[in-house]
Amino acid sequence: MSAEPLLIATGVERRFGAQVACTGIDLVLYPGEVLGVVGESGAGKSTLLQTLAGQAAPQSGQVAYRTRDRRLRDVYRLGEAERRMLLRTDWGLVHQNPRDGLRMAVSAGGNVGERLMQIGERHYGRIRESARTWLEAVEIAEGRIDDTPQTFSGGMQQRLQLARNLVTRPRLLFLDEPTGGLDVSVQARLLDLLRRLVGELGIAAIVVTHDLGVVRLLADRLLVMRSGRAVEHGLTDQVLDDPQHAYSQLLVSSILRG
Ligand SMILES: Nc1ncnc2c1ncn2[C@@H]1O[C@H](COP(=O)(O)OP(=O)(O)OP(=O)(O)O)[C@@H](O)[C@H]1O
């Protein structure tokens, strides 16, 4: 693992009116590392993820990202062109609801190719070939390349979202409940695929979920959130097998009890 952090958040706070969604969040993510953010509904996980992913500025605190030129930059002080470059190339954002991450009336190949076109690729043959390659990588049959995601199952839609994000070879993926709403067997297949691709491509990821099974499989480290605050942070196995904070203990034991 590289010694230089990829992303550093310091004292991040987001409020909605008087409602504090997350506060005092400090975290560091290294290249190739997967961080899981867990906690019950309303803990502030999605708000934190949006803030880290450049979607909504924090009212206090900072999010810094190491761009490809190795400079550590404040995500919310980048120029518009630099911000677009991050969102379209260096980062990927996988939404819980595929409708938020895909164009449902555009073909699968078009969904993947569009991200390449956004960064200036114009050669039809190359775009088509990349789309084919990435659809194959996410186990979508070649024959479906011209079908729209509307005709896909939930698991396929999530895999297509993944392909659309991976085609630009991002260094960081933000995943918001990527397996939410899927059947257990479909979840398992998606998780396996995610784990393999993230590992093979050496991508860093932040995955938000309330499902401890997801982070057990994917995450190197865990951040446990409760009522907008980080209550525990550590290696995944350590936190899950020997949680220190009373809330983490409750979270782990309630899952174990089913
Ligand atoms: N757009 C918004 N307007 C007002 N309050 C919001 C908004 N988004 C989130 N909140 C509030 O912020 C808090 C944290 O919500 P958030 O969605 O980040 O939690 P979460 O842990 O992701 O929950 P879930 O697992 O249910 O998605 C909640 O109290 C929520 O009601």
Coordinates of all heavy atoms in Angstrom, one line a residue, residues 16 19 21 40-47 177, ligand 1:
F16 N -28.7 19.7 7.6 CA -29.9 20.1 6.9 C -30.7 20.9 7.8 O -31.4 20.3 8.7 CB -30.7 18.9 6.4 CG -29.9 18.0 5.4 CD1 -29.2 16.8 5.9 CD2 -29.8 18.3 4.1 CE1 -28.5 16.0 5.0 CE2 -29.0 17.5 3.2 CZ -28.4 16.4 3.7
Q19 N -30.9 19.9 11.5 CA -30.6 18.5 11.6 C -29.1 18.3 11.2 O -28.7 18.6 10.1 CB -31.5 17.7 10.6 CG -31.1 16.3 10.4 CD -31.6 15.4 11.5 OE1 -32.7 15.6 12.1 NE2 -30.7 14.5 11.9
A21 N -26.5 15.9 10.0 CA -26.5 14.6 9.3 C -25.2 13.8 9.6 O -25.2 12.6 9.9 CB -26.7 14.7 7.9
E40 N -26.8 2.2 11.4 CA -28.2 2.0 11.1 C -28.7 3.1 10.2 O -28.1 4.1 10.0 CB -29.0 1.9 12.4 CG -29.0 3.2 13.2 CD -29.3 3.0 14.6 OE1 -29.7 1.9 15.0 OE2 -29.2 4.0 15.4
S41 N -30.0 2.9 9.8 CA -30.6 3.9 8.9 C -30.6 5.3 9.6 O -31.0 5.3 10.8 CB -32.0 3.4 8.6 OG -32.7 4.3 7.8
G42 N -30.3 6.3 8.9 CA -30.3 7.7 9.5 C -29.0 8.0 10.2 O -28.9 9.1 10.7
A43 N -28.0 7.1 10.1 CA -26.7 7.4 10.8 C -25.9 8.5 10.2 O -25.0 9.0 10.7 CB -25.9 6.1 11.0
G44 N -26.2 8.7 8.9 CA -25.5 9.8 8.2 C -24.5 9.2 7.1 O -23.7 10.0 6.6
K45 N -24.6 8.0 6.8 CA -23.7 7.3 5.9 C -23.8 7.9 4.5 O -22.7 8.2 3.9 CB -24.0 5.8 5.8 CG -24.0 5.1 7.2 CD -24.3 3.6 7.0 CE -25.7 3.3 6.4 NZ -26.9 3.6 7.2
S46 N -25.0 8.0 4.0 CA -25.1 8.5 2.6 C -24.7 9.9 2.5 O -24.1 10.3 1.5 CB -26.6 8.3 2.1 OG -26.9 7.0 2.0
T47 N -25.1 10.7 3.5 CA -24.7 12.1 3.5 C -23.2 12.3 3.5 O -22.6 13.0 2.7 CB -25.3 12.8 4.7 OG1 -26.7 12.6 4.7 CG2 -25.0 14.3 4.7
E177 N -24.7 1.6 -0.8 CA -25.6 0.4 -0.7 C -25.7 -0.4 -2.0 O -26.8 -0.6 -2.6 CB -27.0 0.8 -0.3 CG -27.1 1.5 1.1 CD -27.2 0.5 2.2 OE1 -27.1 -0.8 2.0 OE2 -27.4 1.0 3.4
Ligands
LIG1 N1 -32.0 16.1 1.8 C1 -32.2 16.1 3.2 N2 -33.0 17.0 3.8 C2 -33.2 16.9 5.1 N3 -32.6 16.0 5.9 C3 -31.9 15.0 5.4 C4 -31.6 15.0 3.9 N4 -30.8 14.0 3.7 C5 -30.5 13.4 4.9 N5 -31.2 14.0 5.9 C6 -31.1 13.6 7.3 O1 -29.8 13.4 7.7 C7 -29.7 12.3 8.5 C8 -28.7 11.3 7.9 O2 -29.3 10.7 6.7 P1 -28.5 9.7 5.7 O3 -29.4 9.4 4.6 O4 -27.2 10.3 5.5 O5 -28.4 8.4 6.7 P2 -28.0 7.0 6.2 O6 -27.2 6.4 7.3 O7 -27.4 7.0 4.9 O8 -29.4 6.3 6.2 P3 -30.0 5.1 5.2 O9 -29.2 3.9 5.5 O10 -31.5 5.0 5.7 O11 -29.9 5.7 3.8 C9 -31.1 11.8 8.7 O12 -31.6 12.3 9.9 C10 -31.8 12.3 7.5 O13 -33.2 12.5 7.9

